[in-house]
């Protein structure tokens, strides 16, 4: 007999507990994040439940919603525990109900939402690789040793799809075919297998908004493209605002996700979802990510539908997005779509005071996770942005050690390349100038980031106020407060700087720094672009 469903008169308490005993109370108004590489227990405190049995309801298997029995706690008749396996990735929603002989009483709080981050998320060091200047797959395989020796554990690949006439990787002619400049399918498979062997996760760039104007879709299914009667070919171009000017990308035509014919619209949605799935399946093999290009301009209805399907089909794939918007919209997007990782824009903050405030804002939003990079393939080079190639060291130091455990570096930055690498290219393997080599400094920073959990969390940071605006100093603490690290970075490219601290310290890592302990504390001398980490 089906029992009547009623709302319980009192809210149920829901707590998630990890293997170390750390507890977090789950509420319906917040998105909670947990790690896919850890085991958890869910505890329900259900008032007046001693005469019945409590069940958990949710998509704990990563797919359809199911009901799971809970075990009564030994020390409290109103306490219940679920100790089954949680998914290793994806987006889950859970609630609970009390079942008695008379009725089923649902928790009035409703569903709680949990984003399960893939295991790599909390200790991520991603190298952004530019295929168009890197030759063929056999060359890429040789490059992997250099990348892993610097301490990177993930590789972001710009789109590999066959390029249109402009040779831009973001202007696909075919959504599945690998561009002939890189090699064969067999060569690509060998590259993937080599990455897996080296424990290097792959992040595949996916472009859902537009295709090349000479693409298979635009030529053979022109009615799938947004119309523009002002154009000779009748197809609307993608573009962006730069300052107050609209820049039209002449080679890119926009896909019409709002096509008026339902059957055609369905075909468009399914085709683009299948393209997303194709690259997600490859990412899943490596424990990696897909990157959603220009998500802030995407069709929100399609994104919600496609990502919901993606979570069911490939729950372990991380979702990384280029999503620039207001804080409110970012939080809404992360909660609605289950975005694991957002691209930060720290390169826009050239000076220390605004950069410090930006980093504070990242730590003030624990439900969001940002990939912090000194530059991207889209920005100018470090030298162009910040005046000197030496700025690579303090800029990467801050991105890797003052964030929440997710950092990255764009190809060529380790050599202080004076100019931005032209990623709109199919010129084979390019020889870089390599006037500088910051590989060892980057390796030091990555090793520190990898080995210290203190850098993998949000909120455990306090920014200090030195007497000069050219150095950035902060203190990071362990969860129990028993250990602290002092981090200092000199952004002055010409002059050395000093920082005095009231406690003695030991150098844990330095690049161009000298420590002197004194009776009153310590003095850190930083060379131009020097950095240091102290145990205090």
């Amino acid at each position: 007999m089906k029992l009547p469903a009623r709302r319980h008169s009192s809210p149920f308490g829901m707590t998630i507990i990890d293997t170390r005993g750390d507890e977090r109370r789950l509420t319906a108004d917040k998105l909670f994040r947990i790690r896919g590489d850890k085991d958890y227990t869910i505890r329900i405190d259900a008032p007046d439940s001693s005469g019945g049995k409590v069940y958990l309801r949710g998509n704990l298997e990563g797919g359809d919603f199911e009901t799971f029995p809970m075990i009564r706690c030994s020390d409290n008749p109103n306490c219940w525990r679920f100790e089954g396996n949680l998914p290793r990735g994806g987006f889950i929603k859970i609630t609970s109900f009390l079942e008695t002989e008379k009725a089923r009483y649902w928790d009035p709080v409703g569903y709680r939402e949990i984003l399960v981050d893939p295991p790599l998320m909390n200790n991520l060091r991603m190298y952004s690789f530019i295929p168009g200047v890197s030759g063929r797959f056999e060359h890429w395989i040789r490059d992997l040793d250099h990348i892993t020796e610097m301490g990177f554990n993930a590789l972001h690949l710009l789109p590999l799809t066959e390029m249109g006439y402009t040779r831009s990787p973001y202007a696909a002619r075919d959504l599945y075919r690998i561009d002939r400049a890189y090699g064969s399918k067999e060569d690509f498979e060998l590259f993937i297998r080599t990455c897996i062997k080296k424990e290097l996760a792959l992040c595949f760039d996916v472009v859902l908004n537009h295709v090349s104007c000479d693409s298979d879709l635009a030529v053979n299914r022109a009615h799938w493209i947004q119309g523009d009667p002002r154009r000779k070919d009748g197809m609307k171009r993608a573009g962006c605002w730069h300052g107050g000017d609209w820049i039209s990308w002449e080679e890119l035509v926009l896909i019409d996700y709002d096509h008026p014919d339902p059957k055609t619209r369905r075909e468009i949605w399914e085709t683009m979802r299948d393209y997303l799935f194709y690259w997600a399946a490859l990412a899943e093999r490596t424990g990696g990510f897909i990157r959603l290009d220009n998500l802030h301009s995407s069709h929100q209805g399609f994104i919600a539908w496609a990502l919901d399907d993606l979570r069911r089909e490939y729950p372990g794939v991380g979702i990384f997005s280029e999503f620039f918007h207001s804080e409110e919209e970012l939080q809404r997007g992360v909660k609605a779509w289950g975005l694991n990782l957002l691209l930060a824009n720290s390169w826009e903050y050239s000076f220390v005071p605004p950069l410090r405030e930006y980093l504070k804002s990242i730590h003030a939003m624990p439900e969001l996770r940002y990939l912090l990079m000194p530059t991207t393939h889209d920005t100018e080079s470090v030298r162009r942005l910040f005046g000197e190639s030496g700025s690579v060291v303090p800029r990467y130091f801050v991105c890797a050690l003052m964030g929440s455990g997710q950092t990255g570096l764009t190809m060529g930055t380790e050599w202080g390349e004076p100019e931005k690498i032209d990623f709109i290219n199919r010129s084979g393997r390019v020889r870089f100038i390599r006037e500088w080599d910051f590989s060892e400094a980057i390796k030091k920073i990555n090793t520190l980031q990898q080995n210290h959990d203190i850098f993998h969390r949000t909120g455990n940071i306090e920014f200090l106020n030195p007497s000069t605006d050219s150095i950035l100093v902060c203190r990071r603490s362990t969860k129990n407060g028993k250990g602290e690290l002092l981090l200092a970075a000199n952004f002055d490219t010409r002059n050395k700087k000093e920082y005095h601290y009231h406690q003695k310290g030991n150098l844990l890592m330095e690049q161009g720094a000298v420590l002197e302990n004194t009776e009153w504390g310590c003095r850190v001398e930083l060379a131009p672009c020097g950095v240091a980490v102290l145990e205090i």
Side-chain angles (χ1 to χ4, degrees):
M1 184 181 71
K2 186 176 180 180
L3 294 171
R6 298 173 183 169
R7 284 166 59 92
H8 197 280
S9 59
S10 301
F12 295 2
M14 185 180 293
T15 305
I16 192 161
I17 309 164
D18 67 19
T19 51
R20 296 186 300 184
D22 293 335
E23 300 186 4
R24 282 193 294 168
R25 187 85 169 205
L26 305 184
T27 58
D29 61 332
K30 278 189 176 183
L31 172 68
F32 288 82
R33 305 179 75 119
I34 61 175
R35 294 170 53 166
D37 59 345
K38 298 177 71 175
D39 294 321
Y40 295 87
T41 296
I42 296 174
R43 188 183 72 214
I44 300 291
D45 295 298
D48 305 319
S49 61
S50 58
K53 187 171 179 60
V54 172
Y55 294 84
L56 207 60
R57 177 76 176 170
N59 58 337
L60 296 183
E61 302 294 338
D64 296 332
F65 281 72
E66 299 179 59
T67 299
F68 302 88
M70 301 193 74
I71 301 169
R72 194 189 303 271
C73 302
S74 59
D75 58 345
N76 184 343
N78 294 318
C79 169
W80 301 80
R81 300 172 72 89
F82 174 79
E83 297 178 348
N85 294 328
L86 297 184
R88 293 303 182 186
F91 197 41
I92 60 177
K93 297 182 180 182
I94 50 175
T95 188
S96 57
F97 61 85
L98 166 66
E99 189 168 282
T100 69
E101 293 179 352
K102 297 181 179 180
R104 179 175 286 183
Y105 298 92
W106 288 89
D107 179 3
V109 174
Y111 280 93
R112 279 77 157 186
E113 296 175 315
I114 302 174
L115 182 57
V116 186
D117 287 316
L120 205 59
M121 257 290 294
N122 290 286
N123 190 1
L124 179 64
R125 300 172 301 283
M126 186 181 291
Y127 186 85
S128 191
F129 191 78
I130 302 177
V133 298
S134 301
R136 297 172 67 82
F137 289 124
E138 59 261 33
H139 301 120
W140 302 12
I141 289 173
R142 293 203 294 267
D143 289 336
L144 296 180
D145 285 340
H146 164 68
I147 294 165
T148 54
E149 283 169 6
M150 285 191 293
F152 292 98
N153 58 5
L155 189 64
H156 163 226
L157 297 166
L158 272 61
L160 304 181
T161 45
E162 182 181 348
M163 294 177 272
Y165 75 95
T166 62
R167 300 181 178 180
S168 168
Y170 291 93
R173 176 177 283 158
D174 186 284
L175 297 176
Y176 298 95
R177 190 180 301 133
I178 300 292
D179 195 272
R180 65 183 183 277
Y182 309 139
S184 66
K185 275 188 174 182
E186 292 74 20
D187 294 335
F188 183 42
E189 176 61 26
L190 178 59
F191 172 73
I192 291 175
R193 290 204 306 267
T194 306
C195 288
I196 293 171
K197 185 177 179 180
K198 291 182 175 293
E199 298 183 339
L200 195 62
L202 292 177
C203 173
F204 292 102
D205 221 323
V206 177
V207 184
L208 297 169
N209 299 341
H210 47 70
V211 291
S212 179
C213 61
D214 62 346
S215 66
D216 293 343
L217 287 185
V219 172
N220 299 318
R221 300 180 185 179
H223 60 293
W224 285 23
I225 305 301
Q226 291 185 36
D228 186 347
R230 298 170 299 176
R231 295 279 182 175
K232 186 177 180 179
D233 60 10
M235 292 187 284
K236 187 175 182 179
R237 264 50 178 186
C240 69
W241 287 100
H242 184 73
D245 299 321
W246 175 257
I247 299 175
S248 179
W249 296 327
E250 291 303 305
E251 76 276 17
L252 301 178
V253 293
L254 290 165
I255 296 168
D256 189 2
Y257 287 103
D258 285 320
H259 196 284
D261 177 60
K263 182 181 178 182
T264 302
R265 185 167 63 248
R266 183 75 181 183
E267 289 175 348
I268 294 171
W269 283 37
E270 289 178 348
T271 296
M272 298 310 293
R273 179 202 57 190
D274 292 347
Y275 154 63
L276 172 65
F277 278 17
Y278 176 81
W279 294 99
L282 294 173
E284 186 180 57
R285 288 178 57 191
T286 71
F289 295 75
I290 52 107
R291 177 187 181 271
L292 301 178
D293 176 65
N294 222 358
L295 182 61
H296 41 268
S297 300
S298 297
H299 187 281
Q300 295 194 5
F302 168 74
I303 290 295
W305 176 79
L307 293 186
D308 189 51
D309 278 2
L310 180 74
R311 285 304 191 191
R312 283 196 292 270
E313 195 72 22
Y314 303 104
V317 172
I319 301 176
F320 171 34
S321 62
E322 182 188 34
F323 188 32
F324 299 134
H325 224 302
S326 66
E327 180 183 328
E328 181 180 336
E329 282 300 304
L330 289 175
Q331 296 205 27
R332 185 198 63 79
V334 168
K335 188 172 182 179
W337 301 329
L339 306 177
N340 299 102
L341 189 61
L342 304 171
L343 178 62
N345 58 338
S346 60
W347 56 85
E348 293 187 0
Y349 304 92
S350 300
F351 301 103
V352 168
L355 178 60
R356 183 191 300 121
E357 294 307 307
Y358 180 67
L359 293 169
K360 284 181 181 178
S361 72
I362 285 177
H363 282 274
M365 297 181 289
E367 63 273 27
L368 308 183
R369 292 288 186 275
Y370 286 93
L371 185 78
L372 280 161
M373 307 175 68
T375 61
T376 73
H377 64 277
D378 254 338
T379 69
E380 295 296 335
S381 67
V382 166
R383 180 182 290 186
R384 286 288 181 187
L385 288 172
F386 310 117
E388 294 284 348
S389 293
S391 295
V392 167
V393 175
R395 287 277 160 182
Y396 186 65
F397 178 87
V398 165
C399 289
L401 304 181
M402 295 189 187
S404 57
Q406 302 83 33
T407 189
L409 194 77
T410 302
M411 182 179 185
T413 307
E414 69 269 36
W415 301 308
E417 284 298 305
E419 304 294 336
K420 169 187 176 181
I421 295 173
D422 183 11
F423 68 88
I424 302 177
N425 215 322
R426 195 198 272 152
S427 55
R429 192 163 176 83
V430 173
R431 294 179 66 89
F432 294 107
I433 296 172
R434 303 196 184 193
E435 181 182 349
W436 301 80
D437 191 348
F438 301 110
S439 300
E440 281 301 315
I442 291 164
K443 181 178 180 179
K444 284 184 186 179
I445 294 167
N446 281 340
T447 300
L448 199 65
Q449 194 265 9
Q450 176 183 356
N451 294 331
H452 291 266
D453 185 63
I454 202 169
F455 300 119
H456 306 162
R457 300 198 305 275
T458 58
N460 64 334
I461 192 166
E462 178 189 1
F463 288 94
L464 307 177
N465 294 310
S467 57
T468 173
D469 281 341
S470 59
I471 63 174
L472 186 56
V473 183
C474 74
R475 187 166 53 206
R476 300 204 70 163
S477 58
T478 57
K479 190 162 187 177
N480 57 20
K482 293 182 180 179
E484 287 190 338
L485 299 180
L486 185 75
L487 287 71
N490 182 12
F491 285 73
D492 195 318
T493 60
R494 302 292 183 190
N495 304 294
K496 67 181 181 180
K497 299 292 178 181
E498 290 185 359
Y499 183 71
H500 298 263
Y501 191 66
H502 65 274
Q503 290 179 252
K504 291 180 171 61
N506 297 307
L507 269 178
L508 191 61
M509 175 264 169
E510 63 83 21
Q511 184 73 25
V514 177
L515 170 67
E516 179 188 8
N517 283 309
T518 65
E519 293 182 4
W520 44 262
C522 68
R523 179 181 69 87
V524 184
E525 182 180 285
L526 299 166
C529 298
V531 297
V533 179
L534 279 65
E535 290 180 307
I536 54 176

